[in-house]
Amino acid sequence: MPTEAKSKPVPARTRPKRVPLTRERVLRAGLRLVDERGLDALTMRALGERLGVEAMSLYNHVPGKQAMRDGIRDLLWAELADTIEPGADWRQTLRALAVALRRLAAEHPQAFPVLLAGRITPAPGLRAFQAQLDSLSAAGFDRPQAANALRAVFGYACGYAMIDLSCFSVTSSGEPGFDVMLALARSLPGDLPSDLADIAREVCLCEPDRQFEVGLEALLAGLDPACRTRKSPPRRLS
Amino acid sequence: MPTEAKSKPVPARTRPKRVPLTRERVLRAGLRLVDERGLDALTMRALGERLGVEAMSLYNHVPGKQAMRDGIRDLLWAELADTIEPGADWRQTLRALAVALRRLAAEHPQAFPVLLAGRITPAPGLRAFQAQLDSLSAAGFDRPQAANALRAVFGYACGYAMIDLSCFSVTSSGEPGFDVMLALARSLPGDLPSDLADIAREVCLCEPDRQFEVGLEALLAGLDPACRTRKSPPRRLS
DNA sequence: ACCTGAACACCGTTCAAGT
DNA sequence: ACCTGAACACCGTTCAAGT
């Protein structure tokens, strides 16, 4: 750029460039704030400070705090939708939804609960649901069956992920390492009877990654419409 | 009682009797407040008013607001534990846990999310888990298998219940009545493309009560240790 | 022992004023 | 068009003071 140092003096202080605020930027900073310091730390003033601006400026881009929470929720839904990779058959498609949900929870441990806070699923989520339902329809599910299967898998994955969060806040990776044991021990209240502490350990230290899939496969098998037409599953002897 | 109007004058105004405040009473009023007006409405001042007392008095019974939320969470766990009716075999036991969870969500639509808010399950919940694990052990599950089955069913029921809450905030009972359709239509944002509105209707209006059990039975079938020892489920032809 | 009034720091939100 | 200062009502919490 030859015309660089021409017209304006550009006073030596190359100030932070004044990146303009925008709804998108505000919401994204809000999500980061929640992820790092928890939902209670999401404060107009704290968020303003993080963006180098007074709290009142945020109202130029987001109508209020409730709207900000809704916006953050929409960000999560969008991230979920972008993360689902379409599968070849209905099983793959539902599996992809389930693992995307659990990955979302792992990446936003503190923000994840707001995903389900609203009363209705926002548009990006509905679009993802649409793709799921279409895949199920193509595989021979009628529409109500498809909606049911979607609900069941979505619920399973969500609930499993939330339990991960309340047990494995430290780490959600494979082996029950020594550090996890230690962190768990520290987080148990001191006055807990030792038999109950054992229970807590048992429930927390099973292999969540593998077992998540065991349960998921069980669910998928049970949702197969080919299985559900026959009334009693056991083999006939004739 | 013959000695009734004896010693004290009992001045005509039979005042509200001054029921003494207590930790239990404070927490229970807090739960009711959350159920009626939402988690954001849980305020020391509002709760004090409801109890006929200034906000600061609450600190004599509960150390602070976070402790109050924890206490409310413990109330929910206790109610869950009291609501589970022990079953004859492991299937019945897990079923009972699942339906108790979903009933809890239906009875405390606004408070239910705080059940999973904490980092660790409180004692009444652990005791319920203990009973579940014992039942599973007795049925031939080894301990890790038992913990896995518990996690899977708990997660499924929780997640399913949360979806109920975000769809059926109006009513969660059987038939998709006209009022539900109406309420749903009202809660959909006006600018939602009509094909996405159709998706929302499909997902919300399936028969959640019946389908909850379909998914649950599928899961239970898949968790049966008798099924999981064989590697590939399809029948052998020999 | 339990409740209260006054006080402090902090929060969401509004609005007139700046540029 | 976007940001700010001052202001208001409300919140959590502390503490000395009442009974």
Side-chain angles (χ1 to χ4, degrees), chain A residues 65-209:
Chain A
K65 190 173 182 183
Q66 185 53 55
M68 187 139 68
R69 286 203 284 231
D70 290 348
I72 290 176
R73 180 197 55 158
D74 293 357
L75 281 186
L76 290 178
W77 276 102
E79 183 171 331
L80 177 70
D82 289 347
T83 291
I84 298 174
E85 35 206 68
D89 65 346
W90 66 271
R91 266 173 248 263
Q92 285 278 2
T93 310
L94 284 175
R95 257 192 285 262
L97 171 68
V99 316
L101 257 168
R102 215 163 86 97
R103 186 168 41 211
L104 187 73
E107 265 159 29
H108 301 282
Q110 306 227 57
F112 183 75
V114 322
L115 184 77
L116 291 186
R119 286 268 151 272
I120 199 65
T121 309
L126 289 176
R127 225 177 304 276
F129 285 173
Q130 190 175 34
Q132 298 275 329
L133 294 180
D134 288 347
S135 170
L136 290 164
S137 291
F141 286 74
D142 63 31
R143 296 298 285 195
Q145 271 178 336
N148 293 328
L150 178 57
R151 268 178 88 108
V153 170
F154 191 93
Y156 171 75
C158 259
Y160 204 100
M162 299 218 48
I163 297 177
D164 284 343
L165 292 184
S166 40
C167 291
F168 282 101
S169 57
V170 212
T171 161
S172 63
S173 69
E175 289 301 300
F178 197 73
D179 50 342
V180 178
M181 290 290 296
L182 205 70
L184 179 59
R186 235 197 309 269
S187 73
L188 288 176
D191 60 340
L192 197 68
S194 74
D195 59 328
L196 289 188
D198 289 342
I199 299 293
R201 263 184 289 276
E202 282 187 74
V203 177
C204 287
L205 297 182
C206 70
E207 311 162 67
D209 290 342

Side-chain angles (χ1 to χ4, degrees), chain B:
Chain B
M1 311 87 157
T3 68
E4 197 181 13
K6 190 187 49 160
S7 52
K8 297 194 178 175
V10 182
R13 52 125 183 78
T14 318
R15 274 292 167 190
K17 274 206 59 173
R18 213 46 173 150
V19 183
L21 228 44
T22 199
R23 181 183 151 88
E24 168 86 8
R25 241 165 62 79
V26 169
L27 293 178
R28 238 166 243 299
L31 174 56
R32 217 153 0 111
L33 183 56
V34 173
D35 274 336
E36 291 170 16
R37 310 207 340 238
L39 193 55
D40 286 338
L42 179 63
T43 271
M44 301 303 265
R45 284 161 158 95
L47 183 54
E49 188 181 19
R50 178 171 286 231
L51 287 165
V53 112
E54 300 298 315
M56 306 71 95
S57 308
L58 302 176
Y59 287 85
N60 286 312
H61 306 95
V62 165
K65 191 173 182 182
Q66 185 52 53
M68 189 140 66
R69 287 204 283 232
D70 290 349
I72 291 175
R73 179 197 55 157
D74 293 358
L75 281 186
L76 290 177
W77 276 102
E79 184 172 331
L80 177 70
D82 289 348
T83 291
I84 298 174
E85 36 206 68
D89 66 346
W90 67 271
R91 266 173 247 263
Q92 286 277 3
T93 310
L94 285 175
R95 258 191 286 262
L97 170 68
V99 317
L101 257 168
R102 214 162 88 95
R103 185 167 43 210
L104 187 72
E107 264 159 29
H108 303 281
Q110 308 227 56
F112 184 75
V114 322
L115 184 76
L116 291 186
R119 286 266 152 274
I120 199 64
T121 309
L126 290 175
R127 224 175 305 276
F129 286 172
Q130 189 176 36
Q132 298 275 328
L133 294 180
D134 288 347
S135 171
L136 290 163
S137 291
F141 285 75
D142 63 32
R143 296 299 284 194
Q145 272 178 335
N148 293 328
L150 178 57
R151 268 177 89 109
V153 170
F154 190 93
Y156 171 76
C158 259
Y160 204 99
M162 298 218 50
I163 298 177
D164 285 342
L165 293 183
S166 38
C167 292
F168 281 101
S169 57
V170 212
T171 161
S172 65
S173 70
E175 290 302 298
F178 197 74
D179 49 343
V180 179
M181 291 291 295
L182 204 71
L184 179 58
R186 236 198 309 271
S187 73
L188 289 177
D191 59 342
L192 197 68
S194 75
D195 60 327
L196 290 188
D198 289 342
I199 299 293
R201 264 184 288 275
E202 282 187 72
V203 176
C204 286
L205 296 182
C206 71
E207 311 162 67
D209 290 341
R210 174 150 41 206
Q211 296 309 327
F212 174 71
E213 277 165 27
V214 170
L216 179 58
E217 294 307 319
L219 197 52
L220 291 178
L223 293 172
D224 191 333
C227 286
R228 285 167 58 189
T229 48
R230 303 183 239 130
K231 255 320 179 199
S232 47
R235 72 231 137 182
R236 314 162 230 184
L237 304 173
S238 80

